[in-house]
Each structure stands twice: as C-alpha cells, then as structure tokens.
Amino acid sequence: MTKTEQKDIGDYALIGDRNSAALVSKTGSIDWFCAPRFDSDACFAALVGSAENGSWQLKPKHKVLGTSRSYLKDTLILETRLRAEDGEVAIVDFMPATGADTSIVRIVKGLSGRVNMEMELTIRPDYGRIVPWIQADDDGRIEAIAGPHRLTLDSEIACESKDGGIFADFVIEEGKEVSFALAHSFSFGDPCPPIDARAAFEKTRGYWTGWVEDCSYDGRWRDQVVRSLIVLKALTFAPTGGIVAAPTTSLPEQPGGSRNWDYRFCWLRDATFTLVTLMEAGYGKEAEDWRNWLLHAVAGDASQVQPLYTILGESRIEEIEIDWLDGFNGARPVRVGNAAYSQVQHDKIGEVIDTLHQARKYDADGRDHSWDLQKALIEHLEKVKDSPGRGIWEVRGPEQHFVHSKVMIWVAFDRAVRAIKEDGLDGPLELWTKIRDDLHREICQKGFDEKRQTFRQAYESDELDASCLMLPLVGFLPADDPRMIGTVKAIENELMVDGLVRRYDTSSSDDGMSGDEGVFLACSFWLVDNYVLQGRMDDATELFERLLSLANDLGLLAEEYDITAGRQIGNFPQALSHLSLVGSALNIAQHHSPVDQRSKGSETPGNGES
C-alpha cells in the first residue's frame, strides 16, 4: 500500500492467541503485530505507518481480480480467498491458541490454477524503527534478532534475506499447500521449536469450537453474539485474565485528527458489565479470572487506585509519542502508553465495588475475602466524594463534577449498604446509608436540568452526555422515571446523528482536545438497553439491528463510526463495543439480562423528593 492510499479499519481482521494479537488486511497483509504481549512494542507497525515499518505480505504476483474472507465457524481462524489472473488461492491465518510461544501460522492453499505467489516479510521491532540482524541456520530456519527479541521463521519453501527483509517466490497449484510459521522467543534463551502448521491448525480449531459450546445464548443473533464473545476471549491475556480495551494504538477517533490513544490496557470503567455479561453468557471461569485480575491490580492503598492498568496489573503507563510513524491515514501523533492512568476518576471505585458485589452474588458459597479492601475503598470515597474529577471519558480539560462519576460513587455506597444488609458483612450501615441517600438527592438536584428535563454532563455544565444512559442500568433510577424518559428524549434530539449516539458534543466542549468525533457505538447499545427497560422493544430491536449492520464483513466493531464517511473509526476491534453488543442481545432476550442482574436490589427512591 502506498502512502497516498487510504486505509479503512474495517478492511482488517483479528487473529490472536490470548497473549497477543495481529491485524490482517483484506489483501492478506499482516500490518500490526506486537510480541510477545498485547502491549509489547510492535514488530509490524504498517497499520500506523507504512510497509517499511513492518508487515508480512502474501499475495499473488499477478493482478488480484477479487477477494473474500471469513472465519472458520466458531473460531478465530481466518481464511482469505484471493482470485488472480492465473488461479485462486486461500490464505489461512491464525495464532495457535494453545502454544507456549506467541506465533503466527499462515497456510497458503491452491484452490484453482497455478498461482504465482510472493512473500515479503519485513520485521521492524520498536514500532517500526529497528532493522534486526537476520541470519539463517543450516536447516533453513531464519532468525531476526533485535535486543531481547527473536522472531524465527519456519517455511516449507526456500526464503532469502536481503535489504533487511525476508522474501520468497513460489507457485501454488490446485490441491497443494505451503505453510509458514513465525514465532517469538527471547534472544537470551533457546529459539522455539519448529511448529507443525497443520497440527497447530487442528488444535486451534478444536480449542475455539470447544470454547464456544459453553455459550448460553441461543437467540436470533447467536452468530453475532458468538463472534463478539470470541473477540472478548481473544483480547483476554491468558496468564492474568485481564482484558485489553483493544489490541491497537492510535487509530483515530477523528479522521486525520489528534484523538489517538493507546488502548492496549485494562480499564476499570468496564469491569462490572464485563463480569456480569460473561457470567450471563455462560463464561464463569473468564469472569472469575477477570475479578482476580481486578483484585490484584487495585490491591494496596485505596487512594492510589487508577482508571486503568496493564494486563499484568502494573500501574505505571507512561505516554510517549512515536514521531517516526506517519499515523493511520496521516493521523498524528502515534501514542504509546496512556497518561489517563494518573487521572482523578472517582467512578473507578464504584466500578470496583460493584464488580465485587456482583461476583459475590454469583459465588455459591457467599464468601468474600476482599471485603477489607472494599471497606478501605469506601472509606477513601468518604474523603473524596465531594471533589471533581476527569470523568468516564478521561477528558484532558478542567476537572468537573461529572454526573456519571457521582452516580458511580453512589453505586459504591449502595452496594456497600447492600453487602451489610443482604450478606451480613460488617460496616457502618447508618453512615453509609446516609451518604448514599444524600448523594442521590444531590445528583438529582445538581445534575438534573429542570428546564430541559434531562440529566446533564456535569453539575457546572449545560452539555448533555450519553453516559447518563447508565443511570437506570446501574439502578440509580428506574428507566420509566420521568427524569430518565426526559434524558433519553434529550439524547435522541441532541446527541443522535443518523440514529446513532455520540458521547457528547466534542466540537464545542472544553475537553482539552480539538475537533469532532464519530458516534460512540457502546453509547448506542446503552440506548438499546434503555429502550428495553422502558418497554420500547420495537425501538430496541431496530437500533440493535442497525448497530449490527455497522460491523465489518467479519462481524468486528471498532470504538466509533463515522457517519459521513460510512466507516468505522477508533481502535479496533473494541472490547467495549463487543461487550455491549452481547449485553444488549441478552437484555432483549430478557431471560438473560445483565442489566437486571446489575441493578436489581438497588434501593432507588421513587419520583418524589429525590
């Protein structure tokens, strides 16, 4: 791809092994790959640069006349079909799900004719900056070494190294196959053993199809729900259970703009719905692993809990700009790390408390070994509940009293009160009940715009914010409360574009960044959930199916959607978008309802003085 050609994020597919992930283009080029972890330095960075910054291309030599692709049913194994002038081939791409080392396997299959193929592998560690030392051993294995990292290529055909790259030309006939395997190991140890591509294929297919069998959803959108669950599983770091928000960095929220963030980390804001949705979908082990990651990440002084952590639970995530990369379609800067880790976001503690509350409800023996930690978090909230913060969207402008953040503080005290009343845990019931009820009155008075009959973004603001759609989802108010009906109406009137929901008006807000952005897909799913709770089932189904139609041909969703250009934008694929899809499907089905599970039992006041 030349620098003048525009990339479309919807043209990419995800493969992964629960340690890392890679993105494969429609033309069969792997343009993004970090090894050995999701948040490791990329060795293929063409996605946010050019092919010279690292990619792995497999393509016919002659003109490609047509392409198609699909995942093997109920797996993360990708098959890309390329029809050229001299025949047709299929490229099967996957990352062995049960391998000890992070690796990529590519199998080229001849479907018709005799297709002349070429392979070009450009390995560039440190986000496309370093040219590695490349050497071949006596058996034809090729190693590329840069510092502590080694990438080893096994191939069934002869490859040569020149000009810092690895190349091969070959002919694939109908019914024949050629395989390649690229594996990461550390240069100070032994290289990984050769990979049997076909055995790895069978093992990986069996892994995914076996995992999908546990899915409890059997409704009309099962294929889309299963695909989203596979994405969530693929974005889960196997050693810890942490789920990255996305496997990419710096895919812009605004085409050509500067809203470019690194999402290869774990956010607490998604914690509760992650746990509840996984449980309701039939994946208790994954939910338990996520809870355990959460407990380990936030362990320590309550005042130091952060909005996000690494997949290992590490706390320091310094943000830097990579100035040698041109960015996705020229959107700069390209960022690595995320400075939001140090922001003041009080809602994060509400998410932690609610997650552990829901985990307690699912725990058959009712034990909670983390109650002392939860009490410490609540006691910290007592001290900071009246101070402003950055909010769920991590704005880089002034700190404010964001309504969603205040509601999540309320959630923390509500769940703590319920823990004492319902589960017999110890704590100052009278004090926490008073704080909870006082917060409810304060939010309804200061966070509600009587004139416009809607909750607002912040106490000091007249702006609307789609995060207010969360209020009934967490049990703060019933969905049919007049204030929520008014809020939904206001969001429909002022934040919807072509039937989809923006987070807030970024074009005029003082959030520290310039420019507008696309519609935020998770917010539209939250509106679906509100429609369900308000009994507007036709509206819920219509909007849900509209959202499904925005996915690419493989069922993958980014963070946002550009209505004008008709394409996905933001980091891809986005865990929150897929998590919200699954949650909304379960909510519409009603017999499984993450919203009901999360909000039931909340002692929400009626329509009176609060």
Side-chain angles (χ1 to χ4, degrees), residues 92-349:
V92 177
D93 290 321
F94 63 96
M95 296 175 66
T98 55
D101 300 296
T102 295
S103 57
I104 299 174
V105 173
R106 315 196 74 181
I107 303 174
V108 183
K109 296 183 176 183
L111 301 180
S112 67
R114 296 181 75 255
V115 184
N116 289 274
M117 297 288 295
E118 57 186 2
M119 188 277 290
E120 180 176 349
L121 173 58
T122 304
I123 298 170
R124 293 292 183 268
D126 192 22
Y127 299 99
R129 187 178 69 88
I130 295 177
V131 178
W133 174 43
I134 301 175
Q135 62 178 350
D137 65 17
D138 294 337
D139 296 323
R141 302 188 87 195
I142 298 179
E143 294 183 345
I145 297 175
H149 301 290
R150 175 200 292 118
L151 286 166
T152 304
L153 176 69
D154 289 302
S155 171
E156 293 180 338
I157 60 171
C159 300
E160 64 172 330
S161 170
K162 63 180 180 180
D163 301 325
I166 303 170
F167 304 86
D169 291 333
F170 61 101
V171 176
I172 188 76
E173 298 181 355
E174 181 177 347
K176 300 296 184 180
E177 295 182 356
V178 172
S179 68
F180 303 86
L182 183 71
H184 174 276
S185 58
F186 289 107
S187 59
F188 47 78
D190 295 329
C192 57
I195 295 173
D196 183 328
R198 288 154 192 84
F201 171 85
E202 293 298 337
K203 203 169 187 179
T204 300
R205 181 169 62 178
Y207 169 82
W208 285 112
T209 55
W211 185 81
V212 166
E213 289 177 357
D214 290 334
C215 177
S216 62
Y217 176 80
D218 195 26
R220 61 192 286 192
W221 302 295
R222 180 175 169 82
D223 287 347
Q224 294 93 330
V225 167
V226 165
R227 179 54 52 202
S228 290
L229 288 168
I230 288 175
V231 170
L232 292 171
K233 180 67 170 177
L235 298 182
T236 302
F237 187 54
T240 66
I243 303 175
V244 295
T248 55
T249 181
S250 301
L251 297 184
E253 299 171 7
Q254 171 197 358
S258 59
R259 294 175 177 271
N260 315 322
W261 315 112
D262 192 346
Y263 272 22
R264 298 171 298 156
F265 307 106
C266 306
W267 267 258
L268 302 190
R269 70 181 183 197
D270 311 331
T272 308
F273 272 133
T274 299
L275 181 134
V276 173
T277 301
L278 287 172
M279 290 295 301
E280 293 293 330
Y283 293 100
K285 175 61 166 59
E286 286 75 10
E288 181 182 356
D289 290 344
W290 171 250
R291 176 191 63 177
N292 291 337
W293 171 88
L294 178 69
L295 281 171
H296 296 152
V298 303
D301 191 310
S303 67
Q304 295 179 317
V305 173
Q306 300 177 182
L308 63 148
Y309 294 85
T310 74
I311 50 179
L312 292 180
E314 299 158 318
S315 57
R316 186 170 294 278
I317 311 174
E318 299 292 353
E319 183 179 299
I320 61 173
E321 296 182 1
I322 305 298
D323 58 9
W324 58 85
L325 293 174
D326 293 333
F328 184 85
N329 291 336
R332 303 183 72 179
V334 173
R335 293 184 172 95
V336 171
N338 199 309
Y341 84 93
S342 61
Q343 285 187 355
V344 174
Q345 295 179 30
H346 301 311
D347 56 291
K348 66 201 174 199
I349 294 181

Side-chain angles (χ1 to χ4, degrees), residues 272-273 276 354 357-358 361-362 410-411 414-415 418 422 470-479 533 587 593-604:
T272 308
F273 272 133
V276 173
D354 197 18
H357 171 79
Q358 301 300 336
K361 296 305 178 186
Y362 283 110
W410 173 88
V411 165
D414 177 73
R415 300 332 187 232
R418 290 169 59 186
E422 299 169 10
M470 294 292 292
L471 271 59
L473 308 188
V474 300
F476 181 79
L477 280 176
L533 292 174
N587 289 330
S593 178
V595 166
D596 286 346
Q597 175 61 32
R598 185 172 189 183
S599 62
K600 69 182 180 182
S602 298
E603 299 175 4
T604 53

Side-chain angles (χ1 to χ4, degrees), residues 514-535:
S514 60
D516 208 347
E517 66 176 13
V519 293
F520 199 81
L521 297 181
C523 294
S524 295
F525 283 114
W526 298 344
L527 183 58
V528 170
D529 299 335
N530 274 263
Y531 285 159
V532 170
L533 292 174
Q534 291 181 1

Side-chain angles (χ1 to χ4, degrees), residues 15-27:
I15 57 175
D17 64 355
R18 300 178 301 127
N19 288 304
S20 185
L23 293 191
V24 188
S25 77
K26 274 187 175 180
T27 60

Side-chain angles (χ1 to χ4, degrees), residues 316-458:
R316 186 170 294 278
I317 311 174
E318 299 292 353
E319 183 179 299
I320 61 173
E321 296 182 1
I322 305 298
D323 58 9
W324 58 85
L325 293 174
D326 293 333
F328 184 85
N329 291 336
R332 303 183 72 179
V334 173
R335 293 184 172 95
V336 171
N338 199 309
Y341 84 93
S342 61
Q343 285 187 355
V344 174
Q345 295 179 30
H346 301 311
D347 56 291
K348 66 201 174 199
I349 294 181
E351 282 288 351
V352 173
I353 298 297
D354 197 18
T355 302
L356 298 177
H357 171 79
Q358 301 300 336
R360 189 163 55 246
K361 296 305 178 186
Y362 283 110
D363 189 355
D365 62 18
R367 295 176 299 167
D368 191 337
H369 303 299
S370 66
W371 182 238
D372 286 342
L373 170 62
Q374 294 174 65
K375 286 195 297 181
L377 293 172
I378 292 289
E379 289 165 0
H380 173 67
L381 270 187
E382 291 178 30
K383 302 172 186 176
V384 301
K385 61 182 176 62
D386 297 322
S387 59
R390 300 286 184 181
I392 185 176
W393 306 129
E394 299 168 354
V395 297
R396 301 199 176 191
E399 293 184 353
Q400 300 181 64
H401 294 280
F402 288 99
V403 168
H404 173 268
S405 296
K406 295 296 184 182
V407 168
M408 292 311 299
I409 296 174
W410 173 88
V411 165
F413 285 99
D414 177 73
R415 300 332 187 232
V417 167
R418 290 169 59 186
I420 297 171
K421 287 184 174 182
E422 299 169 10
D423 302 317
L425 299 175
D426 63 297
L429 178 61
E430 184 176 347
L431 172 62
W432 288 351
T433 300
K434 182 179 185 306
I435 292 175
R436 180 196 65 182
D437 295 346
D438 287 347
L439 272 169
H440 201 282
R441 281 189 290 271
E442 175 191 305
I443 295 166
C444 290
Q445 291 168 5
K446 296 183 179 181
F448 188 75
D449 186 330
E450 290 285 354
K451 183 178 180 180
R452 298 162 69 198
Q453 286 295 294
T454 179
F455 282 97
R456 61 186 111 211
Q457 183 180 62

